[in-house]
Amino acid sequence: MSAITLEAAQPIPASPSSLRARCTRLSVFWLAEDEVSFYGLPPLLMKVSNVAGVAVVRSCAEARLLLAGEDFDVAVIPLAVLPDVLGGRPRRARPQILAMVRQGEELAPCVAQRYGLAGCLLWDEINVAGLSGTFDRLLRGDAPVPSRGGPDLPGRLTEREHMVLALLLRGMSNHQIARSMGISIHGVKRHISNLLVKFNCSNRTEVALVAQRLGLDPAARTPRHLSSTGT
């Protein structure tokens, strides 16, 4: 089996049940899509401060074999091959699965639930800063795209939050949203803060990405006079 494995100097502590309780660094498994990723990911991942060990393979067969025999904290698998790697395999609590999503791909809530995904990782975020932020959210229990609650999010948002989200998706700033809705800038910030909590995101850009991937269309709920407001 062809695989690249690296381990940081400090070992990973032994495992209680939750990532947050167990450690501040993770063992990461990754299924690479091509030769460049296969050879480039291991040294990149070892530069991420919250990564303790890495195993990278380049075929679905190798991925199935390694995941069945090893105990990783996190496994990153391209969205397109999730069925080939996870289909029919009994799911354990570990590893937590992240779907690697490229531009133009969408992670449907039903797919996240079917495979018990912890979230997704955007291809554009595969750098030291992006990976560190993603893994830190996992350690805190906050996944980029939660597998549970996704389809119920529209019902959890208030009417005002739907309006703010619709204008946010149109690229409006907080001041533009405040003027469009006729509310204070502090009110806008409060609504956006609520959206960050409900979407488990750390910034408004992540909220927009998650909303798009969940297929939400808050613009359909926005009053006509707001929808027609220019930016």
Side-chain angles (χ1 to χ4, degrees):
M1 178 177 65
S2 58
I4 296 178
T5 59
L6 297 173
E7 187 174 351
Q10 298 179 357
I12 305 169
S15 75
S17 57
S18 79
L19 287 177
R20 190 186 310 178
R22 182 170 58 254
C23 60
T24 57
R25 299 202 302 168
L26 306 172
S27 59
V28 179
F29 169 87
W30 200 300
L31 173 56
E33 292 185 295
D34 50 44
E35 290 291 311
V36 174
S37 299
F38 178 69
Y39 290 107
L41 280 168
L44 172 66
L45 285 162
M46 293 312 297
K47 294 179 182 178
V48 180
S49 61
N50 45 18
V51 170
V54 175
V56 179
V57 301
R58 48 185 167 181
S59 78
C60 294
E62 292 170 330
R64 288 192 298 268
L65 184 60
L66 201 56
L67 285 174
E70 301 290 338
D71 195 15
F72 298 97
D73 293 314
V74 182
V76 181
I77 302 171
L79 178 63
V81 297
L82 278 174
D84 295 328
V85 177
L86 301 179
R89 186 174 69 89
R91 287 287 291 115
R92 301 179 297 173
R94 296 177 65 194
Q96 293 203 51
I97 306 294
L98 292 178
M100 202 281 289
V101 180
R102 288 183 177 272
Q103 185 175 6
E105 294 181 322
E106 292 187 0
L107 177 58
C110 60
V111 173
Q113 291 180 332
R114 181 185 308 158
Y115 295 108
L117 302 184
C120 75
L121 176 66
L122 302 180
W123 176 255
D124 292 341
E125 293 179 352
I126 299 179
N127 52 53
V128 172
L131 291 169
S132 178
T134 295
F135 295 147
D136 185 57
R137 287 194 293 274
L138 279 178
L139 285 163
R140 297 197 313 263
D142 300 328
V145 181
S147 60
R148 295 179 179 84
D152 298 328
L153 268 174
R156 294 170 53 200
L157 302 183
T158 67
E159 192 68 29
R160 282 295 179 95
E161 288 165 357
H162 274 285
M163 295 178 188
V164 170
L165 180 59
L167 298 177
L168 185 153
L169 288 174
R170 292 173 56 192
M172 286 190 178
S173 68
N174 287 357
H175 287 283
Q176 289 172 324
I177 293 174
R179 287 196 299 270
S180 297
M181 296 181 61
I183 61 177
S184 70
I185 188 68
H186 299 291
V188 173
K189 290 180 178 179
R190 184 176 66 254
H191 291 311
I192 290 180
S193 177
N194 290 339
L195 290 172
L196 293 177
V197 171
K198 292 183 179 182
F199 280 84
N200 283 330
C201 292
S202 59
N203 58 59
R204 53 192 285 147
T205 301
E206 289 181 9
V207 169
L209 289 170
V210 173
Q212 290 170 347
R213 280 173 173 76
L214 291 178
L216 299 183
D217 185 16
R221 299 170 59 101
T222 306
R224 186 181 302 273
H225 73 282
L226 293 180
S227 298
S228 61
T229 302
T231 58

